[in-house]
Amino acid sequence: MLGAQEQRSEVARLLSQISAEYEAAKQGMTGLAYGTSQHEFITARMEHMGQLHNQLHTLVGDLAIAMVAEQLTNS
């Protein structure tokens, strides 16, 4: 079990990674790649965001989605 400080650090790390994946997906929408490769890139980013959300949910429960929404709104 993680200590309180370790848990806060893990939450911050996960939120940062989610934000980075979201930004990468947004950039993929406007990048030079078109068609299937663009779709696969964005899908991979969104799937990874889902995995990160699941890890966050394990740490903080139902607050996870609100934390993600706030992170993406403020980034």
Side-chain angles (χ1 to χ4, degrees):
M1 175 122 185
L2 295 176
Q5 181 62 34
E6 291 170 319
Q7 185 173 0
R8 282 191 296 273
S9 294
E10 182 66 4
V11 167
R13 183 189 69 76
L14 289 168
L15 288 171
S16 178
Q17 281 188 280
I18 288 169
S19 185
E21 291 291 338
Y22 181 75
E23 186 61 33
K26 279 185 7 182
Q27 293 297 321
M29 290 175 54
T30 60
L32 297 175
Y34 292 103
T36 304
S37 62
Q38 182 182 29
H39 178 74
E40 289 172 356
F41 176 82
I42 294 168
T43 299
R45 302 288 66 79
M46 299 308 286
E47 287 175 352
H48 192 232
M49 281 180 63
Q51 294 168 357
L52 294 167
H53 173 263
N54 288 339
Q55 292 174 33
L56 183 62
H57 188 270
T58 299
L59 292 173
V60 299
D62 291 336
L63 292 173
I65 195 64
M67 294 173 83
V68 170
E70 182 177 344
Q71 177 76 16
L72 297 180
T73 299
N74 293 330
S75 60

